[in-house]
């Protein structure tokens, strides 16, 4: 494998307080791997043997309900740690990670977690900040499913994906990774039929444009209005 350059990690929050020699030490212990869209990186309940850093692409994090349904609870962007089961004091992964687009990730054996958090300044602090944000996002998703109407939930997840990965185009703001109507149904706890009906109606109203794996928000303000909680 070609030698990884220190610039890959320089400036990323978990490593931002480290000098180049320390980053070199971390990279020398890393494994780099490319994942095709749809590839499973690890599975919920399996032994947590490695922890990861996403360099490029986007990931979906999926939880399985007691009834066997799959829910997409969040997405992970480049520059973020994931699969950090040791931070939760777990020996197994709490969710499944799947590449939402072609992705590249670094990983390290889980035995290095404790040396990393004790040796490298800022690594532990940023790791636990990341964990806290994600737990908050998951709680928001679950609260929306329990309290909001379907159209509010669908609008909210589209807006989250736009805020996370949006790319300006001539049509509006495109979600920066492939997303299907089935993906949206798994994010909102609703049926594929309902998601298709909503997106078709919003497309007629000029709020979104969608194809098989691409969604563009053409009128973000109106989508925000749809997603607002109603008293």
């Amino acid at each position: 494998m070609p030698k990884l350059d220190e610039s890959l990690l320089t400036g990323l929050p978990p490593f931002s307080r480290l000098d180049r020699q320390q980053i070199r030490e971390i990279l020398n212990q890393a494994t780099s791997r490319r994942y095709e869209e749809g590839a499973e990186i690890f599975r919920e309940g399996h032994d947590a043997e490695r922890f990861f850093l996403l360099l490029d692409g986007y990931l979906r994090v999926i939880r399985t309900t007691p009834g066997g349904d799959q829910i997409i609870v969040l997405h992970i962007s480049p520059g973020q740690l994931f699969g950090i089961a040791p931070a939760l004091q777990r020996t197994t992964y709490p969710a499944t990670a799947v590449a939402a687009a072609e992705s590249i990730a670094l990983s390290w054996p889980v035995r290095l977690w404790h040396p990393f958090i004790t040796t490298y300044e800022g690594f532990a602090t940023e790791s636990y900040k990341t964990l806290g944000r994600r737990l908050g996002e998951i709680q928001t998703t679950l609260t929306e499913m329990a309290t909001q109407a379907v159209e509010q939930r669908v609008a909210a997840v589209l807006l989250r994906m736009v805020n996370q990965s949006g790319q300006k185009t001539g049509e509006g703001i495109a979600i920066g990774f492939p997303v299907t109507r089935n993906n949206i149904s798994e994010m909102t706890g609703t049926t594929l039929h309902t998601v298709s009906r909503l997106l078709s109606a919003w497309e007629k109203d000029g709020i979104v444009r969608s194809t098989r794996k691409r969604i563009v928000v053409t009128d973000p303000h109106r989508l925000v209005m749809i997603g607002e909680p109603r008293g």
Side-chain angles (χ1 to χ4, degrees):
M1 181 182 69
K3 189 174 182 180
L4 300 169
D5 190 84
E6 290 91 343
S7 63
L8 288 172
L9 303 186
T10 302
L12 297 183
F15 312 101
S16 60
R17 300 183 192 178
L18 306 182
D19 59 34
R20 290 184 69 87
Q21 179 55 40
Q22 291 173 309
I23 291 176
R24 181 75 265 150
E25 292 170 0
I26 290 170
L27 285 173
N28 285 344
Q29 299 175 85
T31 298
S32 175
R33 182 173 172 185
R34 182 183 300 272
Y35 299 89
E36 298 298 323
E37 179 188 338
E40 188 177 277
I41 300 168
F42 52 77
R43 179 174 286 273
E44 181 178 352
H46 285 197
D47 289 344
E49 297 177 344
R50 304 187 73 83
F51 61 96
F52 301 79
L53 176 78
L54 185 63
L55 290 179
D56 190 36
Y58 291 90
L59 305 181
R60 293 188 178 95
V61 178
I62 302 168
R63 294 290 303 271
T64 303
T65 69
D69 296 323
Q70 290 192 327
I71 300 173
I72 298 172
V73 291
L74 54 85
H75 288 85
I76 294 175
S77 302
Q80 295 187 24
L81 292 166
F82 66 101
I84 51 176
L88 292 166
Q89 303 296 309
R90 290 182 59 116
T91 59
T92 60
Y93 294 115
T96 298
V98 175
E102 183 177 330
S103 302
I104 300 172
L106 299 181
S107 70
W108 296 266
V110 75
R111 61 178 169 77
L112 294 178
W113 178 262
H114 185 70
F116 275 27
I117 64 173
T118 55
T119 303
Y120 299 118
E121 183 182 1
F123 184 86
T125 302
E126 293 299 330
S127 297
Y128 290 110
K129 281 183 183 177
T130 295
L131 185 61
R133 284 194 298 269
R134 292 206 186 128
L135 291 174
E137 289 177 37
I138 292 170
Q139 185 60 45
T140 296
T141 298
L142 296 177
T143 300
E144 287 172 354
M145 287 186 182
T147 63
Q148 292 188 353
V150 171
E151 66 174 5
Q152 290 176 283
R153 301 203 302 267
V154 174
V157 300
L158 291 180
L159 289 167
R160 273 200 294 274
M161 289 188 287
V162 163
N163 289 335
Q164 183 177 37
S165 69
Q167 301 169 351
K168 289 186 178 180
T169 72
E171 299 175 302
I173 305 175
I175 293 171
F177 50 85
V179 59
T180 67
R181 294 182 177 196
N182 189 61
N183 294 148
I184 295 170
S185 74
E186 292 176 343
M187 283 182 260
T188 55
T190 190
T191 65
L192 176 59
H193 172 76
T194 299
V195 171
S196 296
R197 177 176 55 79
L198 279 173
L199 290 182
S200 295
W202 292 348
E203 192 152 5
K204 288 179 183 177
D205 289 342
I207 299 170
V208 302
R209 292 195 64 180
S210 64
T211 56
R212 191 171 70 89
K213 286 190 175 183
R214 185 171 186 265
I215 294 180
V216 180
V217 177
T218 51
D219 193 335
H221 177 70
R222 289 175 69 189
L223 195 62
V224 168
M225 297 296 290
I226 293 169
E228 285 185 343
R230 298 167 191 172

